[in-house]
Amino acid sequence: MECTRRDFLRYMALSAALAAVSGAPLPASAAQQDEKPDTWVKGVCRYCGTGCGVLVGVKNGKAVAIKGDPDNHNKGLLCLKGALLIPVLNSPDRVTSPMVRRTKGGPLEPIGWDEALDLLARKFRTAIDTHGPKSVAYYGSGQCLTEESYLASKIFKAGLRTNNVDGNPRLCMASAVGGYVTSFGKDEPMGTYEDIDQASCFFIIGSNTSEAHPVLFRRIARRKQATPGVKIIVADPRRTNTSRIADLHIAFRPGTDLALMNSMAWVMVHEELDNSRFWGKYVAFKDNEGKDCSFDDYKAFLEDYRPEKVAGICHIPEEQIWQAARLFAESPATTSLWCMGINQRVRGVWANNLIHNLHLISGQICRPGATPFSLTGQPNACGGVRDAGALSHLLPAGRAIPNPKHRAEMEQLWGVPEGTIAPEPGYHTVALFEALGRGDVKALLICETNPAHTLPNLNKVHKAMSHPDAFIAVIEAFPDAVTLRYADLVLAPAFWCERDGVYGCGERRYALIEKAVEPPQGCRPTVNTLVEFARRAGVDPKLVDFRNAADVWEEWRTVSKGTTYDFYGMTRERLRKESGLIWPCPHEKHPGTRLRYVRGEDPIVPADHPDKFFFYGRPDGKAALWMRPYQGAAEEPDADYPLYLTSMRVIDHWHTATMTGKVPELQKANPSAFVEINGDDATRLGIAHGDACVVETRRDKMTLPARVSDVCRTGLIAVPFFDREKLVNKLFLDATDPISREPEYKICAARIRKA
């Protein structure tokens, strides 16, 4: 039987995701097999928040191969993207020197590093001296090293005295942060990936795990395959590869999952599947305004979500609600997994709270295999941005800018005068680019991310980035990033294993990327670039007295000491020896923490605490169960725009494909964007597979080829966002969650017709 190159690649991708019985990891990339490395250097994959450990093979100073680290959580396995990282590193299509646009609309031209850094510092200094600190901003990334994010936040908040520090985790993980903090008092999951190996039921909602996190999906599939009785519930309006291994697939109407989860809770309470021994001692019931309530109040609240009513809201069979609730509550151990389908919503925090509610009311929490686990989209959104406090409302290690005690702590740790850190949060991402468009932000530094491609309502963003008074500097490794079209200055960074630094993945595991090779001449580590910029911009040299990332890590390690995000025990030397450590890790002998909030497991819980569980992030030590009502999307379909439109990912590409697009095999497997449509909708609209179709929303329209299948439920169309030639985020609105300020990418009203 013959197959095309694309068929072969798709087969390989699915094999990585669906877990072959043998469990053999993907080998070092076949293109590099004939170059046997002299040494193998330990690191972490550059892509998603799974944080797979890798070993980079080096020969004669060049990276020639990659394989999975058998000592890390991925046990030597890599997905297809990870196995093809070496061609990205060695791509000739790199930014290898600073570039400047000397006139608006003119070309980018090479420039020396000294001139570039002087220009950057002068533009920021002039803006601050003329218009004040609020006129400058930093926009970072979950792709930056922890040291880079911590340093940038310190420079801007303590050195330049502005809290205009935000980043792309605002677009993907802010609602997960809001959910964890409001439910448990602290951010980040309480469990680890080991829970996958002990769960007997998986509740996967708003996550196409098979394509977005294939190594974790493989682990889930192996758990189901190896252990009789393991059940998988997938709640997703699309019939993805993830849902195809489910025992129960709930294809609810988009945006109705809040009603679904409240109804599942009603079944648990009505059928006496709740765990009163747990919630009676460890849970505080809250109404939607945060006032204390009782269990009886919660029961009364749930009466509005009886399954017969919610089945009509969600457009699903009523029996599915009963079945899902019973499987969840009656399982020996249930793990929930979710991602952007929950977070990228105007009620993303509420949706996160309702997942936590299911665990709290059923007692499926804080024990092996029983945990609510938010999956992370970027390699260092957790350890670099969330933990290090590199968002506009945060300070390092769980501290918050509005809290005067927290500001005073950081001012003392940073050695700056009292009152240095401004008391008001800075602009969140959508507001930041609106301020740029108004001319209120004069100078913006964008680091290792591509907002001109990833932000919603892109026509509005592009107009803002074209403001004649705006100076935009970008630290970016790849010249085809859309953001460079709007850059006045581009700085060339060392990429991935061309410098050393720490990534923190979704399970609270911090791991060191060791330097394996030298960067191209003209590229510099971003830590050094930030230090030089700060010194030239007039920041006190004592604030940036760092030679390299290792120096920054030592300070950040100290800043975390004694907090509930304590990883003081993760020395650089220890990270070099081990394939990641999981915080809290308060001293060098500590093995890392598998279960938070549990006496005897979590070092933050006193050994003599009278209770087994202690949710120390909240004043009363109890988790909060919130009564969050069902609310729909910011923009629902109507007569003019009768369909739901959602964004999605594909297994072949990561984010904006500036990296995966450099790999011919991946690019050929999925070269361009498309629109996914249900067969019944396609027949009704006269659309055939492959037809060019016009997809239109109230913001823009775009012509895309149709993929007709059973993946989308009727009334829903879906588009991937990786294609820089088809910027589908022009179609989506920029409404945000009022708590997390995360935009709603997953739902807007649309129409489609054959072109």
Side-chain angles (χ1 to χ4, degrees), residues 474-497:
V474 182
I475 299 174
E476 171 59 57
F478 298 102
D480 54 349
V482 176
T483 301
L484 296 200
R485 301 174 191 174
Y486 302 90
D488 299 290
L489 179 67
V490 180
L491 301 170
F495 171 71
W496 188 38
C497 61

Side-chain angles (χ1 to χ4, degrees), residues 500-515:
D500 75 313
V502 176
Y503 270 177
C505 73
E507 67 164 354
R508 295 178 281 111
R509 180 185 296 267
Y510 282 13
L512 180 65
I513 303 170
E514 297 186 43
K515 183 176 178 180

